[in-house]
Amino acid sequence: MGNGVREGAVDFKGQDVEPVAATHLPAEGNQEKKNVLNSLMSGALAGAVAKTAVAPLDRTKIMFQGESLCLFAPLHEAYRLIYHTYLNEGFWSLWRGNSATMVRVIPYAAIQFCAHEEYKQLLGSYYGFQGKALTPFPRFIAGSLAGTTAAILTYPLDMVRARMAVTPKEMYSNIVHVFIRISREEGLKTLYRGFTPTILGVIPYAGLSFFTYETLKKLHADHSGRAQPSPAERLLFGACAGLIGQSASYPLDVVRRRMQTAGVLGHTYGSILRTMQDIVREEGLVRGLYKGLSMNWVKGPIAVGISFTTFDLTQILLRKLQHSPGLQR
């Protein structure tokens, strides 16, 4: 018994503690940093690719939301507006405001996807689901928190993007010019106009989008026996997620755009409820609060499908590169 104690003491002192303290814990910390960096890079790329792909439709949607151009923004009206914009302002005008969109969407998407991964780990640890898929409620909460975090940190850039999308190019020459003119002529508080409906809208939007996508992937794994869906299946799951998330939050998206663009379109909007009341009184419930939704059913699923798929595939690629023998020391 005495020998056993002495052997254990020598073993403990000489072999177990020092290697763990010196190598194991820092390795875990380094891996966590790599995971965060991978999520940021993957999210940034996902947002940039998705938004660039649908930029002409995105600009058209904002124009419909900001003005009384049509009743329910039928698709043929949307495409007619795109065509007239092309004739009057040129092909690249369809991407007007996309530079501002990139300035916003790259950090927004990077923060949102990275935050989602971190919130999943945090909630998984809290609810005891380490290494397992979250149950439905935590799954929704993780998405909502991720979207809220990203929206809070990048909102002024969204305001600038909306202004550039609905104004002629002579009014604002670049992103910095938008910031300067708004600050000088309307005050710094204007950069956060529409912030409350944005947050109220992003909670169901991000929550339902991430919830739907994660749920469909889990159901696919359970029924197909394959751990990972194919790229085409990811696109389909993402499209469903975008359709559900954007439909649920669309009225608040309209209110947000009206409040953001009020200063340059000749309107005066106050609170969220007052803005909703004015829209409903002037244009009707469905025709006002759901203006542009039919076009969003085309744009939204495409954008969200591309975004989720790009993020997942980039994550997989980066992990494979990290574990490649040629990159190991």
Side-chain angles (χ1 to χ4, degrees):
M1 193 171 194
N3 290 338
V5 172
R6 283 196 300 272
E7 289 175 2
V10 172
D11 213 25
F12 178 77
K13 182 177 179 181
Q15 297 179 8
D16 292 337
V17 175
E18 291 181 3
V20 171
T23 61
H24 182 62
L25 293 180
E28 286 186 352
N30 289 337
Q31 186 59 45
E32 179 62 24
K33 290 178 181 178
K34 288 180 181 179
N35 290 340
V36 170
L37 183 60
N38 285 353
S39 296
L40 288 171
M41 293 172 60
S42 301
L45 181 62
V49 172
K51 278 297 185 181
T52 300
V54 298
L57 287 173
D58 206 28
R59 185 190 177 196
T60 304
K61 183 199 75 170
I62 294 174
M63 293 171 71
F64 272 127
Q65 288 177 331
E67 302 177 13
S68 301
L69 295 176
C70 66
L71 297 181
F72 193 65
L75 289 178
H76 71 274
E77 291 289 345
Y79 296 133
R80 182 181 301 171
L81 178 58
I82 291 174
Y83 181 65
H84 282 302
T85 302
Y86 160 71
L87 289 180
N88 296 329
E89 302 180 36
F91 177 75
W92 294 112
S93 68
L94 298 175
W95 276 265
R96 173 160 172 74
N98 195 51
S99 59
T101 299
M102 290 298 101
V103 172
R104 169 190 171 265
V105 82
I106 288 175
Y108 181 92
I111 293 170
Q112 179 177 239
F113 278 107
C114 182
H116 183 247
E117 295 298 308
E118 296 302 310
Y119 284 130
K120 281 199 302 182
Q121 290 187 21
L122 184 63
L123 290 170
S125 176
Y126 180 79
Y127 285 100
F129 299 129
Q130 298 97 323
K132 301 178 182 178
L134 295 176
T135 53
F137 180 69
R139 203 177 300 155
F140 174 82
I141 294 298
S144 295
L145 288 174
T148 302
T149 301
I152 290 173
L153 294 176
T154 62
Y155 185 78
L157 294 170
D158 185 50
M159 174 70 175
V160 169
R161 195 261 298 214
R163 282 294 182 92
M164 291 189 73
V166 300
T167 55
K169 58 184 178 181
E170 294 79 13
M171 186 168 185
Y172 298 118
S173 57
N174 53 51
I175 298 169
V176 176
H177 189 209
V178 182
F179 276 109
I180 293 174
R181 283 198 60 175
I182 290 177
S183 302
R184 184 180 299 164
E185 298 174 8
E186 303 174 54
L188 287 173
K189 289 178 62 177
T190 304
L191 292 173
Y192 285 89
R193 183 179 292 162
F195 178 74
T196 303
T198 297
I199 296 301
L200 293 178
V202 92
I203 290 172
Y205 170 69
L208 287 172
S209 295
F210 279 105
F211 168 82
T212 303
Y213 185 68
E214 295 286 323
T215 299
L216 290 174
K217 285 203 302 182
K218 184 178 184 302
L219 291 174
H220 172 272
D222 291 343
H223 289 85
S224 70
R226 291 186 284 124
Q228 298 292 341
S230 67
E233 289 168 334
R234 292 180 194 275
L235 281 170
L236 179 61
F237 298 161
C240 292
L243 186 65
I244 293 172
Q246 293 192 349
S247 297
S249 62
Y250 196 79
L252 285 167
D253 190 41
V254 173
V255 171
R256 169 175 66 120
R257 293 302 182 199
R258 292 296 180 92
M259 294 178 76
Q260 288 177 335
T261 59
V264 293
L265 295 179
H267 298 291
T268 301
Y269 294 118
S271 65
I272 298 173
L273 290 178
R274 180 63 182 274
T275 302
M276 280 190 170
Q277 289 172 355
D278 290 345
I279 293 172
V280 171
R281 184 178 65 252
E282 296 171 7
E283 303 167 48
L285 177 63
V286 175
R287 295 175 178 179
L289 292 180
Y290 289 90
K291 180 173 293 179
L293 179 59
S294 58
M295 179 170 47
N296 225 47
W297 283 338
V298 175
K299 179 192 77 72
I302 294 173
V304 178
I306 292 174
S307 181
F308 278 125
T309 302
T310 303
F311 176 79
D312 278 357
L313 296 181
T314 306
Q315 282 276 79
I316 293 171
L317 176 61
L318 290 175
R319 286 169 184 165
K320 285 183 178 179
L321 290 175
Q322 282 184 356
H323 291 89
S324 174
L327 298 178
Q328 301 292 324
R329 289 201 300 173

